[in-house]
Amino acid sequence: MKYIIVIVLGLFLANPLSAQNISGYVCSSDGQPLAGASILVKEISKGTYTLNNGTFELQNIPTGNYTLEVSYVGYKKRSVKITVPWNNGLLKLILTEDAITTRQVIVTATKNEEDISSLPVSAMAIYPIEMEKKNRLTLDEELRYTPGINMNLDQISIRGSSGYSKGAGTRVLTAIDGVPIYTGDTGEIVWEMLPTSNIDRIEIIKGPASSLYGSTAIGGVINIITKEIYDKPVTGFSTYAGIYSNPYYSQWRWSSNPRTFYGIGINHSNTIGRFGYSLSLKKLDNAGYRENDFSKRILGSLKLNYRFDSSNTISGFASYLNMNRGNFLYWKDGADALIPKDEDNGKTVKSDRWFGSIIYKHIFSRFVSAELKSSIYNTNFEGIGVEVTTSKSNLVRNELLLHTALSSSFMLTSGVEYAFSSITSNIFSSKNFYSAAVYSQAEYKGIERIILSAGFRYDYIKLDSVSGAGALSPKAGINYKISDNLILRASAGAGFRAPTPAEVFTSTGVGGIQIKENPDLTFEKSFSVDAGAVITVNENINFDFSLFYNGYENFIEPVLLKTGYIQFINLPKAKIEGFEINNGNKFIDGLITTNIGYTYLWSRDIENNAPMKYRPRNSVYASVSFSPSPFEFNIDFRYMSRVERIDDDLTRPPLTLIPDGEERVDVYVTDISAGWGFSAGMIPVKLYFNCKNLFNYNYVEFIGNLAPIRSYSLSLDLYF
């Protein structure tokens, strides 16, 4: 009889009448669905995550009273009381933005998940919602509004680490899920290659990170973390259309036709059993505000994931770009600022690029885990003009990463890397590039309120016929949490950067400028110090202060020789020092948020006792957001002081290759946007209006290149 009672009781407890599924929807105050938000039923420790469209479902919740805790990085945590049986239909939860950024978790700084407030280095994270609502189509557009970062056309500089060398090299490593993605021939970042629709967040390390990431990270790291794949089918659709204003001066108007741009994209994510996938496809066309500055792009990305068991997973990511664009190098002169030089008009660039990576993760125990990362980046570039220039390359990388918890307070992260690049080009002939590295970094948390870290990396690099060389990059840091409201940090270390094949071997002509190879070009080295403090006044106000110094030896820069050729050479000594202040505020319970950042740079070419080229001394970035649900209004502003030094020899007799190229001013750019988020049934919809460069301000980021004039656009995003 007692067995019958147990069976009946078990059937009763399993009866669906005694448990219920709770469905809901999580969004921001402007109606933006929040994908990946955490939903936790505190009393029974049962939880789930929202899908790409912001929806979630908690299954088999027994009868009772519960507290639902909803959290999402960058938003204020919210708790909601519910009673099961739940008879109120779809549960809609709105989260408000949290301007305090010290609670973010990032992986880039140590290659482990870490609270950003516990790091010894300057770091931050930005989120794709900013790109979506402000119609920033490529990642470099978003980075233009990030404190401490400057963009010179397509070349990124973190705290003055780079000047400008068109299409050759970078001092900032860009990665996708920790896998570097820069070309094997020129070593540049192709921003159009990076999939904006598949981004969960962008993590930024400001300052040298060679001790973990090697050569290209001498100026910092940009790491794109891709979205998780969710367990139900979700499809997203986006489109936009826009138009450029007429130029500020009527004599600059070169076309009687409106200059328009538009794009359309679709993405889909789903999980079938243990296999998950996420696919996106975009087509983007821009007629260009300048003559012969059009672009047509097709971009696709694919993420795959397979979980063998709780200890073994494998994931893959691939991105493809087909691009055809005009090749606007420099203006004809100041009176024809939107028209290229006669000899460049009609030239185009075609490229096919694809990138693929595989990451295998294995958990040996709760103390030891490992990752194997392999990738290949294929580039096929063709410039069409009077002559055809071509470059094809394959860059293959492999990295084995080991995480070891030697105790509850001591973590060791170690790894080995190998990379090989094969290049076929008529610009700098056929060259091969090899590199190998070993690194290790320890973190100790055994002292109350103090976190200590130290590590090193050794790289050996061989660039074809140039003699191979090795470099040791050590680094140490400390984080001291004096209180919940005051955290101090400091780090010091050495870095290095190897020249790229393009910098060493290029021998061609670009825009009337002849480039000469330099097989004697050697490695550059740096020593850096970074000290800072995070001050949290209260939950509505915070400050982040940084002081930094970077000293360089053999700094690589392009210069104009007396023979009239451009050549990459090593500057014997250079230094960059300065400070940065960032402030975040929120008012009226998050209805209004403000952010402002200021960076001061003092950069010197020590041998010539002159400022380093293309580096503004003062930079300011500011934003204001007003979010009366379901609407949102934003103002973004950026200022850069007039660049003190450029390539003057290109603008002066006897060459005068770029007429009026010395024209440059302080930069003042203001953007505005307005958004409306709403739901059409169960389909969340977002509509945005954007005006970029509201006052149609004329400025240059690089000589002979007028920056984008005012434009207007409308965009639509929805999930179903």
Side-chain angles (χ1 to χ4, degrees):
M1 183 67 182
K2 64 179 180 180
Y3 294 111
I4 295 174
I5 293 173
V6 170
I7 292 172
V8 171
L9 182 60
L11 289 174
F12 174 77
L13 293 175
N15 193 308
L17 294 177
S18 65
Q20 185 178 353
N21 295 347
I22 306 296
S23 297
Y25 171 65
V26 179
C27 65
S28 63
S29 57
D30 65 345
Q32 166 83 17
L34 298 178
S38 172
I39 315 294
L40 177 66
V41 184
K42 293 185 66 175
E43 288 77 4
I44 58 175
S45 297
K46 186 170 186 176
T48 187
Y49 293 91
T50 56
L51 303 176
N52 278 349
N53 62 356
T55 61
F56 68 89
E57 184 177 48
L58 292 163
Q59 297 182 342
N60 298 320
I61 306 300
T63 298
N65 297 317
Y66 301 101
T67 302
L68 256 62
E69 191 172 83
V70 188
S71 59
Y72 188 77
V73 175
Y75 288 78
K76 194 172 181 179
K77 185 181 292 186
R78 182 179 175 186
S79 296
V80 178
K81 300 290 186 181
I82 65 168
T83 300
V84 178
W86 176 259
N87 300 315
N88 295 330
L90 183 72
L91 181 63
K92 186 173 182 179
L93 303 167
I94 300 174
L95 302 186
T96 57
E97 291 189 33
D98 189 348
I100 308 303
T101 59
T102 57
R103 304 181 187 94
Q104 297 171 341
V105 174
I106 68 173
V107 299
T108 305
T110 62
K111 297 195 175 184
N112 286 294
E113 285 194 356
E114 294 278 356
D115 191 309
I116 199 169
S117 65
S118 67
L119 299 176
V121 297
S122 298
M124 66 178 299
I126 54 180
Y127 296 88
I129 184 174
E130 295 299 315
M131 300 181 65
E132 293 171 4
K133 65 188 180 184
K134 296 171 183 178
N135 202 33
R136 293 171 182 166
L137 305 177
T138 54
L139 181 57
D140 59 308
E141 281 194 72
E142 179 65 31
L143 295 175
R144 276 176 168 81
Y145 289 85
T146 303
I149 294 180
N150 293 118
M151 297 295 305
N152 296 323
L153 295 187
D154 56 355
Q155 199 145 44
I156 185 173
S157 176
I158 295 182
R159 292 179 174 173
S161 60
S162 296
Y164 187 76
S165 53
K166 187 172 181 63
T170 178
R171 290 185 177 87
V172 175
L173 183 140
T174 300
I176 295 180
D177 292 328
V179 180
I181 178 168
Y182 56 84
T183 59
D185 48 4
T186 60
E188 65 180 318
I189 305 167
V190 181
W191 299 105
E192 295 90 349
M193 182 81 177
L194 306 178
T196 57
S197 60
N198 209 17
I199 296 176
D200 178 69
R201 65 186 184 275
I202 301 110
E203 300 180 351
I204 302 171
I205 305 301
K206 298 179 182 180
S210 295
S211 61
L212 271 181
Y213 291 94
S215 170
T216 312
I218 194 171
V221 178
I222 307 290
N223 188 17
I224 299 167
I225 307 300
T226 57
K227 291 180 180 179
E228 292 291 336
I229 299 171
Y230 299 102
D231 57 0
K232 291 185 179 181
V234 176
T235 300
F237 172 82
S238 62
T239 186
Y240 68 87
I243 187 170
Y244 290 103
S245 292
N246 288 328
Y248 187 86
Y249 299 107
S250 59
Q251 61 265 36
W252 282 358
R253 188 171 183 181
W254 58 274
S255 174
S256 59
N257 298 320
R259 313 309 299 170
T260 60
F261 52 93
Y262 70 92
I264 188 170
I266 190 168
N267 58 77
H268 180 72
S269 180
N270 193 17
T271 296
I272 304 172
R274 297 181 177 181
F275 174 72
Y277 66 91
S278 178
L279 173 67
S280 70
L281 184 64
K282 285 186 175 182
K283 179 175 174 27
L284 306 97
D285 282 18
N286 191 325
Y289 63 98
R290 304 182 295 188
E291 187 176 17
N292 200 49
D293 195 28
F294 70 90
S295 67
K296 297 178 181 294
R297 291 188 287 143
I298 296 176
L299 176 65
S301 66
L302 173 67
K303 182 176 181 179
L304 305 173
N305 185 75
Y306 186 80
R307 181 177 295 275
F308 297 97
D309 52 43
S310 60
S311 300
N312 295 274
T313 60
I314 188 169
S315 62
F317 180 84
S319 182
Y320 170 75
L321 171 68
N322 175 274
M323 182 164 61
N324 181 20
R325 62 175 175 84
N327 197 20
F328 190 105
L329 296 174
Y330 309 106
W331 63 37
K332 187 174 183 178
D333 52 48
D336 298 294
L338 301 180
I339 298 176
K341 299 171 68 173
D342 292 339
E343 59 268 33
D344 294 331
N345 212 341
K347 291 184 178 180
T348 61
V349 175
K350 295 181 178 180
S351 60
D352 276 292
R353 306 175 191 269
W354 60 268
F355 169 83
S357 66
I358 295 177
I359 302 176
Y360 172 68
K361 297 182 180 180
H362 178 71
I363 300 174
F364 293 96
S365 68
R366 65 190 183 97
F367 303 107
V368 182
S369 63
E371 297 178 51
L372 177 62
K373 300 180 179 181
S374 297
S375 66
I376 181 171
Y377 191 163
N378 175 273
T379 294
N380 189 349
F381 167 91
E382 183 179 65
I384 302 173
V386 177
E387 297 179 351
V388 176
T389 58
T390 62
S391 183
K392 299 179 181 180
S393 68
N394 282 293
L395 176 62
V396 178
R397 302 179 62 93
N398 292 284
E399 177 183 6
L400 179 61
L401 178 63
L402 185 67
H403 304 284
T404 308
L406 300 179
S407 71
S408 60
S409 59
F410 190 60
M411 170 65 74
L412 187 66
T413 301
S414 305
V416 293
E417 284 187 26
Y418 172 76
F420 167 75
S421 179
S422 61
I423 305 163
T424 302
S425 173
N426 66 355
I427 304 173
F428 41 86
S429 67
S430 301
K431 303 293 177 183
N432 294 323
F433 175 90
Y434 311 84
S435 71
V438 58
Y439 62 86
S440 186
Q441 178 166 294
E443 184 178 76
Y444 182 65
K445 299 182 178 179
I447 305 173
E448 186 178 3
R449 295 184 175 274
I450 293 177
I451 302 173
L452 300 174
S453 63
F456 76 94
R457 176 175 170 126
Y458 180 80
D459 287 82
Y460 179 83
I461 294 178
K462 179 75 169 64
L463 181 56
D464 206 80
S465 58
V466 178
S467 298
L472 181 66
S473 303
K475 192 166 189 176
I478 183 172
N479 181 285
Y480 179 26
K481 186 176 182 180
I482 295 177
S483 69
D484 290 341
N485 299 100
L486 178 60
I487 301 171
L488 304 180
R489 64 174 184 267
S491 63
F496 88 105
R497 175 177 175 265
T500 66
E503 290 170 316
V504 175
F505 296 113
T506 296
S507 181
T508 187
V510 178
I513 301 172
Q514 293 298 314
I515 302 174
K516 185 179 181 180
E517 67 178 8
N518 183 8
D520 296 324
L521 198 65
T522 189
F523 295 71
E524 59 185 32
K525 299 178 182 179
S526 75
F527 173 75
S528 65
V529 178
D530 184 356
V534 176
I535 301 173
T536 304
V537 178
N538 53 45
E539 65 175 7
N540 298 314
I541 303 172
N542 80 315
F543 293 89
D544 190 306
F545 299 90
S546 294
L547 293 169
F548 54 88
Y549 168 85
N550 297 292
Y552 298 92
E553 294 182 6
N554 298 321
F555 194 85
I556 300 172
E557 284 265 274
V559 299
L560 183 67
L561 305 176
K562 293 181 180 179
T563 57
Y565 285 90
I566 290 282
Q567 187 179 59
F568 287 91
I569 68 165
N570 293 109
L571 301 179
K573 287 186 179 296
K575 69 174 182 178
I576 300 172
E577 53 195 348
F579 64 88
E580 184 178 321
I581 304 173
N582 296 300
N583 166 239
N585 307 285
K586 58 181 181 178
F587 308 98
I588 316 177
D589 198 26
L591 185 65
I592 299 175
T593 60
T594 65
N595 288 279
I596 185 167
Y598 169 71
T599 305
Y600 175 82
L601 283 180
W602 177 255
S603 64
R604 306 303 290 177
D605 173 350
I606 294 175
E607 183 180 31
N608 297 308
N609 191 27
M612 299 180 73
K613 292 182 287 188
Y614 302 109
R615 291 165 173 86
R617 185 174 295 190
N618 300 283
S619 300
V620 177
Y621 301 88
S623 66
V624 179
S625 178
F626 175 51
S627 306
S629 181
F631 302 101
E632 181 174 1
F633 305 93
N634 301 280
I635 301 174
D636 291 278
F637 171 79
R638 56 190 173 105
Y639 162 79
M640 290 179 291
S641 59
R642 182 179 184 270
V643 170
E644 298 173 78
R645 187 180 173 205
I646 61 172
D647 290 303
D648 291 305
D649 292 333
L650 298 179
T651 70
R652 298 171 178 170
L655 293 177
T656 317
L657 293 173
I658 309 174
D660 302 316
E662 74 282 356
E663 296 294 332
R664 59 193 190 278
V665 295
D666 289 345
V667 174
Y668 302 88
V669 180
T670 303
D671 298 345
I672 61 170
S673 66
W676 177 33
F678 61 94
S679 296
M682 284 291 290
I683 298 178
V685 180
K686 298 171 292 177
L687 288 172
Y688 291 108
F689 165 79
N690 281 276
C691 178
K692 299 179 182 178
N693 195 358
L694 174 65
F695 301 108
N696 212 8
Y697 186 77
N698 298 308
Y699 68 100
V700 299
E701 291 181 340
F702 181 65
I703 55 177
N705 278 266
L706 192 75
I709 62 178
R710 181 172 54 213
S711 66
Y712 305 95
S713 66
L714 286 171
S715 59
L716 166 70
D717 297 285
L718 56 88
Y719 287 95
F720 51 89

